[in-house]
PDB file of all heavy atoms in Angstrom:
ATOM      1  N   TYR A 315      97.457 106.882  98.420  1.00 82.00           N
ATOM      2  CA  TYR A 315      96.086 107.358  98.462  1.00 82.00           C
ATOM      3  C   TYR A 315      96.007 108.588  99.304  1.00 82.00           C
ATOM      4  O   TYR A 315      96.612 108.739 100.389  1.00 82.00           O
ATOM      5  CB  TYR A 315      95.095 106.297  99.072  1.00 82.00           C
ATOM      6  CG  TYR A 315      95.880 105.308 100.018  1.00 82.00           C
ATOM      7  CD1 TYR A 315      96.068 105.694 101.341  1.00 82.00           C
ATOM      8  CD2 TYR A 315      96.260 104.010  99.517  1.00 82.00           C
ATOM      9  CE1 TYR A 315      96.847 104.825 102.131  1.00 82.00           C
ATOM     10  CE2 TYR A 315      97.039 103.219 100.358  1.00 82.00           C
ATOM     11  CZ  TYR A 315      97.237 103.579 101.691  1.00 82.00           C
ATOM     12  OH  TYR A 315      97.975 102.770 102.493  1.00 82.00           O
ATOM     13  N   LEU A 316      95.303 109.619  98.780  1.00 90.00           N
ATOM     14  CA  LEU A 316      95.160 110.860  99.455  1.00 90.00           C
ATOM     15  C   LEU A 316      93.915 110.845 100.285  1.00 90.00           C
ATOM     16  O   LEU A 316      92.864 111.283  99.908  1.00 90.00           O
ATOM     17  CB  LEU A 316      95.142 111.939  98.452  1.00 90.00           C
ATOM     18  CG  LEU A 316      95.361 113.376  98.833  1.00 90.00           C
ATOM     19  CD1 LEU A 316      96.781 113.541  99.409  1.00 90.00           C
ATOM     20  CD2 LEU A 316      95.195 114.428  97.777  1.00 90.00           C
ATOM     21  N   LEU A 317      94.022 110.374 101.507  1.00 92.00           N
ATOM     22  CA  LEU A 317      92.888 110.244 102.330  1.00 92.00           C
ATOM     23  C   LEU A 317      93.250 110.590 103.817  1.00 92.00           C
ATOM     24  O   LEU A 317      94.201 110.152 104.295  1.00 92.00           O
ATOM     25  CB  LEU A 317      92.426 108.729 102.317  1.00 92.00           C
ATOM     26  CG  LEU A 317      91.956 108.082 101.149  1.00 92.00           C
ATOM     27  CD1 LEU A 317      91.808 106.684 101.208  1.00 92.00           C
ATOM     28  CD2 LEU A 317      90.616 108.747 100.725  1.00 92.00           C
ATOM     29  N   ASN A 318      92.360 111.478 104.363  1.00 94.00           N
ATOM     30  CA  ASN A 318      92.529 111.895 105.789  1.00 94.00           C
ATOM     31  C   ASN A 318      91.664 111.005 106.681  1.00 94.00           C
ATOM     32  O   ASN A 318      90.445 111.277 106.774  1.00 94.00           O
ATOM     33  CB  ASN A 318      92.147 113.362 105.932  1.00 94.00           C
ATOM     34  CG  ASN A 318      92.440 113.926 107.342  1.00 94.00           C
ATOM     35  OD1 ASN A 318      92.355 113.133 108.281  1.00 94.00           O
ATOM     36  ND2 ASN A 318      92.892 115.135 107.430  1.00 94.00           N
ATOM     37  N   PHE A 319      92.185 109.948 107.237  1.00 95.00           N
ATOM     38  CA  PHE A 319      91.389 108.948 107.940  1.00 95.00           C
ATOM     39  C   PHE A 319      90.722 109.606 109.142  1.00 95.00           C
ATOM     40  O   PHE A 319      89.598 109.175 109.479  1.00 95.00           O
ATOM     41  CB  PHE A 319      92.217 107.783 108.266  1.00 95.00           C
ATOM     42  CG  PHE A 319      92.685 107.032 107.032  1.00 95.00           C
ATOM     43  CD1 PHE A 319      93.914 107.126 106.508  1.00 95.00           C
ATOM     44  CD2 PHE A 319      91.829 106.174 106.420  1.00 95.00           C
ATOM     45  CE1 PHE A 319      94.381 106.434 105.480  1.00 95.00           C
ATOM     46  CE2 PHE A 319      92.119 105.485 105.286  1.00 95.00           C
ATOM     47  CZ  PHE A 319      93.483 105.666 104.820  1.00 95.00           C
ATOM     48  N   ASP A 320      91.409 110.395 109.901  1.00 96.00           N
ATOM     49  CA  ASP A 320      90.816 111.053 111.127  1.00 96.00           C
ATOM     50  C   ASP A 320      89.572 111.914 110.694  1.00 96.00           C
ATOM     51  O   ASP A 320      88.623 111.804 111.371  1.00 96.00           O
ATOM     52  CB  ASP A 320      91.814 111.942 111.769  1.00 96.00           C
ATOM     53  CG  ASP A 320      92.977 111.143 112.520  1.00 96.00           C
ATOM     54  OD1 ASP A 320      92.792 109.915 112.682  1.00 96.00           O
ATOM     55  OD2 ASP A 320      94.074 111.717 112.660  1.00 96.00           O
ATOM     56  N   ALA A 321      89.774 112.581 109.561  1.00 97.00           N
ATOM     57  CA  ALA A 321      88.624 113.482 109.249  1.00 97.00           C
ATOM     58  C   ALA A 321      87.530 112.673 108.672  1.00 97.00           C
ATOM     59  O   ALA A 321      86.300 112.967 108.920  1.00 97.00           O
ATOM     60  CB  ALA A 321      89.094 114.492 108.167  1.00 97.00           C
ATOM     61  N   LEU A 322      87.810 111.539 108.004  1.00 97.00           N
ATOM     62  CA  LEU A 322      86.749 110.686 107.470  1.00 97.00           C
ATOM     63  C   LEU A 322      85.939 110.031 108.606  1.00 97.00           C
ATOM     64  O   LEU A 322      84.684 109.872 108.635  1.00 97.00           O
ATOM     65  CB  LEU A 322      87.303 109.696 106.552  1.00 97.00           C
ATOM     66  CG  LEU A 322      87.720 110.150 105.224  1.00 97.00           C
ATOM     67  CD1 LEU A 322      88.542 109.163 104.346  1.00 97.00           C
ATOM     68  CD2 LEU A 322      86.541 110.595 104.293  1.00 97.00           C
ATOM     69  N   GLU A 323      86.713 109.589 109.612  1.00 97.00           N
ATOM     70  CA  GLU A 323      86.082 108.982 110.851  1.00 97.00           C
ATOM     71  C   GLU A 323      85.108 109.964 111.478  1.00 97.00           C
ATOM     72  O   GLU A 323      84.027 109.579 111.897  1.00 97.00           O
ATOM     73  CB  GLU A 323      87.174 108.449 111.723  1.00 97.00           C
ATOM     74  CG  GLU A 323      86.676 108.023 113.154  1.00 97.00           C
ATOM     75  CD  GLU A 323      86.067 106.681 113.179  1.00 97.00           C
ATOM     76  OE1 GLU A 323      86.145 105.994 112.106  1.00 97.00           O
ATOM     77  OE2 GLU A 323      85.567 106.283 114.242  1.00 97.00           O
ATOM     78  N   SER A 324      85.620 111.195 111.632  1.00 97.00           N
ATOM     79  CA  SER A 324      84.760 112.174 112.351  1.00 97.00           C
ATOM     80  C   SER A 324      83.599 112.502 111.540  1.00 97.00           C
ATOM     81  O   SER A 324      82.518 112.647 112.125  1.00 97.00           O
ATOM     82  CB  SER A 324      85.670 113.441 112.499  1.00 97.00           C
ATOM     83  OG  SER A 324      84.864 114.515 113.077  1.00 97.00           O
ATOM     84  N   LEU A 325      83.699 112.607 110.163  1.00 97.00           N
ATOM     85  CA  LEU A 325      82.489 112.893 109.341  1.00 97.00           C
ATOM     86  C   LEU A 325      81.587 111.787 109.477  1.00 97.00           C
ATOM     87  O   LEU A 325      80.306 112.005 109.546  1.00 97.00           O
ATOM     88  CB  LEU A 325      82.946 113.131 107.964  1.00 97.00           C
ATOM     89  CG  LEU A 325      81.837 113.369 107.003  1.00 97.00           C
ATOM     90  CD1 LEU A 325      81.093 114.653 107.280  1.00 97.00           C
ATOM     91  CD2 LEU A 325      82.380 113.531 105.583  1.00 97.00           C
ATOM     92  N   CYS A 326      82.022 110.525 109.439  1.00 97.00           N
ATOM     93  CA  CYS A 326      81.112 109.379 109.503  1.00 97.00           C
ATOM     94  C   CYS A 326      80.400 109.319 110.881  1.00 97.00           C
ATOM     95  O   CYS A 326      79.176 108.989 110.890  1.00 97.00           O
ATOM     96  CB  CYS A 326      81.895 108.091 109.260  1.00 97.00           C
ATOM     97  SG  CYS A 326      82.470 107.805 107.590  1.00 97.00           S
ATOM     98  N   GLN A 327      81.080 109.675 111.912  1.00 96.00           N
ATOM     99  CA  GLN A 327      80.364 109.662 113.158  1.00 96.00           C
ATOM    100  C   GLN A 327      79.372 110.769 113.276  1.00 96.00           C
ATOM    101  O   GLN A 327      78.173 110.564 113.764  1.00 96.00           O
ATOM    102  CB  GLN A 327      81.436 109.877 114.295  1.00 96.00           C
ATOM    103  CG  GLN A 327      82.333 108.738 114.573  1.00 96.00           C
ATOM    104  CD  GLN A 327      83.375 108.989 115.674  1.00 96.00           C
ATOM    105  OE1 GLN A 327      83.572 110.073 116.122  1.00 96.00           O
ATOM    106  NE2 GLN A 327      84.120 107.926 116.079  1.00 96.00           N
TER     107      GLN A 327
END
Side-chain angles (χ1 to χ4, degrees):
Y315 25 79
L316 196 63
L317 298 168
N318 185 327
F319 294 101
D320 290 340
L322 287 169
E323 169 79 5
S324 177
L325 178 63
C326 285
Q327 289 180 349

